[in-house]
Amino acid sequence: ILTDGEEAILSAILAGHTTYAEIVCHLGLSFGTVRVNLYRMYNKTGSQNMTALVLWAWAAGYQRDNGHR
């Protein structure tokens, strides 16, 4: 359901990078890229925020340490 780029952002979030600035620095992406990808992930998963996205990820089988199933 998620693209490789979205999974990279999810992995960063699951690793504890929970602000836009942390995700941008960790992945070397622009703020806009992170914002757009998070918006798309929220829509795909029915999440309204990062906390709901993490709960969805855990329920979908994503691992806390690497963001992959």
Side-chain angles (χ1 to χ4, degrees):
I1 186 170
L2 301 180
T3 67
D4 289 344
E6 291 166 347
E7 283 195 351
I9 292 171
L10 179 60
S11 177
I13 293 167
L14 293 175
H17 304 285
T18 56
T19 67
Y20 281 56
E22 290 174 337
I23 297 167
V24 164
C25 289
H26 180 72
L27 296 177
L29 301 172
S30 73
F31 178 86
T33 298
V34 171
R35 184 179 53 81
V36 167
N37 277 285
L38 275 171
Y39 176 78
R40 289 180 182 156
M41 285 190 283
Y42 292 160
N43 283 331
K44 287 180 180 182
T45 63
S47 302
Q48 294 182 352
N49 54 45
M50 234 180 261
T51 301
L53 180 63
V54 168
L55 294 174
W56 172 87
W58 291 343
Y62 285 88
Q63 302 298 312
R64 294 179 190 205
D65 59 342
N66 64 13
H68 298 288
R69 294 180 202 219

